[in-house]
Amino acid sequence: RGIWRYAILIILLLVLAANALATKLHDRMLPLVLGALVASALVPLVWPVGNLLRVESGLARFGLAALVTFAPIFFASLLFSLEFRGQAASDRAFGWNMLGSTLGGLLEYVSLATGYAALAVVVACCYATAGALLLWRRRRRAAGAKGPADACTA
């Protein structure tokens, strides 16, 4: 019962930290943040969470588990904050974020059938696709073009 309080506290603190960091970063950092997000989502493939059982120190195990589990949340929050601040229609951007969060929550159940490592691939692919579309839209905007991808922020 008590561990959930810490998990929720960590998530909220990471979102707060991401928002604070976003105020210091330039929009040009978006590809770097996107890369960090995809990389952090793929960590379970390189370092399976089962390795945590080999860590003898409870505090070190908790810290590593938090890092592996919550790093994607931090980078996703940072990416959202960087993109959200430049939106003319913030309600639509927030709506797309909520839709993505809901889809991610539903996809999480896939891990019950495929395992946590396979879920990491699905998550990384979803983030990479969303990021590629985001970067594509930015390039189109910079070139002065308008298209269907701009409909969500018009």
Side-chain angles (χ1 to χ4, degrees):
R1 170 184 149 160
I3 194 75
W4 291 108
R5 285 185 278 175
Y6 296 118
I8 292 170
L9 177 64
I10 289 170
I11 290 170
L12 292 175
L13 289 174
L14 286 173
V15 171
L16 181 64
N19 283 312
L21 182 58
T23 64
K24 309 282 188 227
L25 296 180
H26 193 275
D27 288 343
R28 290 182 302 226
M29 297 296 291
L30 188 99
L32 182 65
V33 172
L34 179 61
L37 172 58
V38 172
S40 67
L42 291 173
V43 165
L45 288 176
V46 179
W47 196 75
V49 293
N51 290 341
L52 290 170
L53 297 175
R54 296 185 189 141
V55 179
E56 293 194 22
S57 166
L59 186 59
R61 186 180 316 122
F62 180 78
L64 285 171
L67 183 65
V68 169
T69 305
F70 299 129
I73 294 171
F74 172 77
F75 289 118
S77 297
L78 183 57
L79 182 69
F80 178 75
S81 296
L82 287 172
E83 187 58 24
F84 186 77
R85 70 179 174 198
Q87 296 300 315
S90 58
D91 57 336
R92 290 184 182 160
F94 187 70
W96 280 106
N97 186 59
M98 295 309 308
L99 183 64
S101 297
T102 302
L103 178 62
L106 291 172
L107 283 175
E108 188 174 3
Y109 285 104
V110 170
S111 69
L112 297 174
T114 62
Y116 190 65
L119 177 65
V121 174
V122 172
V123 168
C125 287
C126 288
Y127 280 134
T129 301
L133 290 171
L134 189 66
L135 294 172
W136 176 75
R137 188 188 76 212
R138 282 182 166 218
R139 283 192 202 115
R140 284 185 52 91
R141 276 191 182 163
K146 288 268 185 190
D150 296 311
C152 67
T153 59

